[in-house]
Amino acid sequence: MNFYDYEAEDARCNVVKMDDYKGKVVLVVNTATRCGFTPQYDDLQDLYEKYQDAGFEILDFPCNQFGNQAPGTTEEIASFCDAKFGITFKLFSKIEVNGENTHPLYKYLKEQKGFGGFDPNHPLTPLLESGLYRTQPDFRNTPDIKWNFTKFLIDRDGNVFGYAAGQLSMEMMESIIR
């Protein structure tokens, strides 16, 4: 199977086939509305507006598995994202990205690319690493998603090009997308 063989339910309960994104660069991201990284919605929207016409898409998958930071229904999350950040990229239904109920798309993504580490220059890296180490000492060696706003970049041929932890800068993402 490849990226294009999967599907997911969007925020309006419509089934969306990843095949719809053939030939595009796609950024898949698990999000949260009450996270220290939530302001990344602004950066993601800017990135989307800048590259959408060049065949770039963002697929937003809300997930409440990290610190209970995505509470509420998918509809409430959609209202928040619209009112606070004006996002226009695709919002999907809330899913799980780790554990027994991991969404099949995320199972596939994690199988394709392992955890590449956190940005050593980001100020939150020491906090994230120490918190993860306390609860999961082997976190560096597992493919699990570590936190909110983890990103997978899919190239125009459906290959999983990269797996970036939540605090990866938009400048770094942009250099990959170009």
Side-chain angles (χ1 to χ4, degrees), residues 141-153:
N141 300 315
T142 68
D144 283 349
I145 304 300
K146 309 305 182 217
W147 202 251
N148 304 308
F149 288 87
T150 295
K151 301 160 189 77
F152 288 91
L153 192 63

Side-chain angles (χ1 to χ4, degrees), residues 107-152:
K107 283 182 185 176
Y108 168 76
L109 294 171
K110 293 187 301 183
E111 288 170 358
Q112 299 305 301
K113 288 289 178 188
F115 176 60
F118 292 110
D119 177 356
N121 300 315
H122 195 283
L124 291 178
T125 293
L127 179 64
L128 284 170
E129 287 185 339
S130 71
L132 283 168
Y133 185 76
R134 281 194 306 273
T135 59
Q136 188 182 1
D138 196 32
F139 76 90
R140 286 181 184 91
N141 300 315
T142 68
D144 283 349
I145 304 300
K146 309 305 182 217
W147 202 251
N148 304 308
F149 288 87
T150 295
K151 301 160 189 77
F152 288 91

